[in-house]
Amino acid sequence: MKVLVTGGAGFIGSNFVYYELKHHPEDEIVCLDKLTYAGNLETLKDAMNNPKFKFVKGDISDRDFIFDLFEKERFDIVVNFAAESHVDRSIEDPEIFVKTNVLGTTTLLDAVKKFGIKRFHQVSTDEVYGDLPLERKDLFFTEETPLHTSSPYSSAKAAADLFVLAYHRTYGLPVTISRCSNNYGPYHFPEKLIPLIISRALNDETIPVYGTGENVRDWLHVEDHCSAIDLIIRNGKDGEVYNIGGHNERTNLEVVKTILKALNKPESLITFVSDRKGHDLRYAIDPTKIETELGWKPKYTFDTGIPVTIEWYLNNREWWENIINGEYQNYYEKMYGDR
Ligand code: NAD
Ligand code: TYD
């Protein structure tokens, strides 16, 4: 089979490329990526010499380019990871989120429709469900939870999900959607919470915690997200949504303290800064459907996944130092300078 992975030079997409090359060596993988600030060819260097792997630079919202690529390559499966993915950036400048996350997805859907692809999988997020109250620990997002977004990022992802489902209902396209909780693991861009904590703590720099640090996220190791998507694209049912999560809810402050302790760094590095606008309180996934229908089981808990992730950042210092020493420095100044 020939699989198109869009956004494969980013965090989750690159982990998925490696997962597929390892678990399905018979398949061909084409990675398409625009190489925005979040895309990094260094991340894919171990795949570049694999004869089953090919990298193509391009934009999912560039219709002519996408149609030419689909005509030439004749993919069996398309997995769409490509997106603008950072909530804080979406609050600063929403427009590119509409262009990539919504228009990019509909452009891919049109190509899937024209070229008769067997499966289009949309990598979505639990953030499309909005948030849950902190004090109601009994509540979880199920696939039936109404979409109720908070940020420009999650709104653009929700809009894309609705188009994916509309193309299924209207044109009968063979689509699936997954909505996963927060990921962590190798190749995670250090603007996101966990790699930001690890990289700054290793450099003895302050750790900015938004508001009171009581917001809750449900954390999943990226390899478990990849194994879930792999199951869905091969065994999932057309038109279905699958929630992915492993019941690893932690407050942001718990996450920061766990990592500081593991690195033997003092809690005095924690600095409370002003809260994110519209900050979602709590995410929590009910993964019963994917567990019972597809037999998915995560390999890691938060307590086993965090130490291996820290070890990866210790062994791959050059990868993240190249990022934080580049244009990212200006981003950090702009976002945190007078917060
Ligand atoms: P990321 O920002 O690390 O990577 C996104 C990749 O998409 C980058 O390589 C970037 O260059 C590429 N890209 C951006 N715009 C593009 C365009 N117009 N055309 C082609 N490529 C483009 O993001 P990530 O964390 O790996 O997230 C991947 C997907 O998973 C996203 O769709 C995101 O919404 C979803 N998701 C992320 C998480 C998480 O915790 N990170 C959780 C659930 C779902
Ligand atoms: P993030 O990694 O941006 O993921 P998301 O917003 O998609 O959940 O943030 C995770 C949580 O950490 C979120 O509640 C915001 C918080 N946060 C901080 O407290 N400080 C930071 O510097 C960052 C980037 C995030």
Side-chain angles (χ1 to χ4, degrees):
M1 276 204 294
K2 196 186 251 195
V3 185
L4 173 66
V5 178
T6 70
F11 165 44
I12 308 174
S14 61
N15 277 281
F16 185 73
V17 165
Y18 287 121
Y19 187 92
E20 291 299 290
L21 291 173
K22 179 171 169 196
H23 292 89
H24 301 282
E26 70 287 359
D27 286 351
E28 279 177 71
I29 309 290
V30 177
C31 167
L32 159 67
D33 200 292
K34 184 179 170 187
L35 298 179
T36 67
Y37 78 92
N40 186 350
L41 277 186
E42 266 301 294
T43 300
L44 289 172
K45 72 174 187 315
D46 293 338
M48 288 299 184
N49 291 329
N50 188 320
K52 294 286 194 183
F53 177 77
K54 183 158 94 183
F55 178 80
V56 183
K57 183 169 189 269
D59 185 332
I60 57 165
S61 65
D62 180 341
R63 183 166 284 265
D64 291 342
F65 164 78
I66 288 294
F67 275 64
D68 285 350
L69 183 74
F70 274 61
E71 175 144 46
K72 195 168 118 219
E73 298 282 355
R74 301 283 164 173
F75 304 112
D76 298 292
I77 298 177
V78 175
V79 189
N80 183 27
F81 290 91
E84 289 293 333
S85 68
H86 192 34
V87 173
D88 292 329
R89 287 184 193 254
S90 82
I91 294 167
E92 290 297 298
D93 185 8
E95 194 177 337
I96 186 67
F97 285 74
V98 179
K99 184 159 187 270
T100 289
N101 300 5
V102 187
L103 195 61
T105 302
T106 56
T107 305
L108 289 172
L109 287 167
D110 284 337
V112 167
K113 178 164 159 260
K114 177 162 182 199
F115 293 99
I117 308 300
K118 295 192 191 86
R119 164 59 47 83
F120 175 83
H121 182 72
Q122 175 71 358
V123 181
S124 186
T125 164
D126 62 353
E127 301 192 25
V128 298
Y129 299 121
D131 61 353
L132 297 163
L134 287 177
E135 64 283 4
R136 289 291 308 274
K137 298 243 183 311
D138 56 317
L139 296 181
F140 295 89
F141 297 136
T142 73
E143 290 79 2
E144 308 306 322
T145 303
L147 305 192
H148 189 82
T149 56
S150 315
S151 70
Y153 161 68
S154 56
S155 302
K157 292 296 290 183
D161 282 15
L162 293 176
F163 275 103
V164 173
L165 294 173
Y167 273 61
H168 172 68
R169 167 107 187 220
T170 308
Y171 308 114
L173 250 57
V175 305
T176 43
I177 296 178
S178 54
R179 295 182 180 144
C180 189
S181 57
N182 285 58
N183 284 208
Y184 64 95
Y187 301 118
H188 202 178
F189 196 87
E191 68 185 353
K192 304 280 172 62
L193 183 68
I194 287 184
L196 181 138
I197 302 169
I198 299 173
S199 57
R200 290 185 65 83
L202 284 173
N203 287 334
D204 298 306
E205 290 168 328
T206 55
I207 314 291
V209 173
Y210 299 166
T212 58
E214 282 163 349
N215 302 60
V216 170
R217 295 293 181 265
D218 184 357
W219 294 97
L220 189 73
H221 191 280
V222 64
E223 191 183 329
D224 288 325
H225 188 185
C226 293
S227 70
I229 293 172
D230 183 60
L231 272 179
I232 297 169
I233 61 175
R234 289 160 205 280
N235 305 329
K237 275 208 248 128
D238 286 351
E240 293 290 318
V241 173
Y242 297 90
N243 282 355
I244 309 171
H247 289 297
N248 289 289
E249 289 178 49
R250 297 287 187 283
T251 67
N252 293 338
L253 214 45
E254 283 169 340
V255 172
V256 178
K257 288 183 179 173
T258 302
I259 296 174
L260 288 176
K261 191 166 174 218
L263 291 172
N264 206 13
K265 296 288 180 182
E267 287 187 8
S268 56
L269 289 179
I270 295 172
T271 310
F272 291 96
V273 300
S274 61
D275 211 351
R276 173 186 278 173
K277 293 189 182 87
H279 198 174
D280 279 337
L281 293 172
R282 171 174 169 253
Y283 303 145
I285 280 275
D286 176 355
T288 307
K289 180 175 173 181
I290 190 165
E291 287 174 348
T292 53
E293 289 185 17
L294 301 181
W296 175 78
K297 262 213 314 257
K299 180 168 149 189
Y300 295 98
T301 62
F302 189 75
D303 294 335
T304 59
I306 284 294
V308 294
T309 301
I310 290 178
E311 203 180 312
W312 188 90
Y313 283 84
L314 286 169
N315 293 335
N316 292 274
R317 246 192 130 108
E318 207 185 320
W319 180 87
W320 56 267
E321 276 180 344
N322 280 342
I323 295 172
I324 60 174
N325 293 332
E327 86 181 68
Y328 174 76
Q329 259 183 359
N330 301 332
Y331 166 86
Y332 195 86
E333 254 324 291
K334 180 175 161 223
M335 300 298 262
Y336 296 88
D338 54 4
R339 195 155 177 162

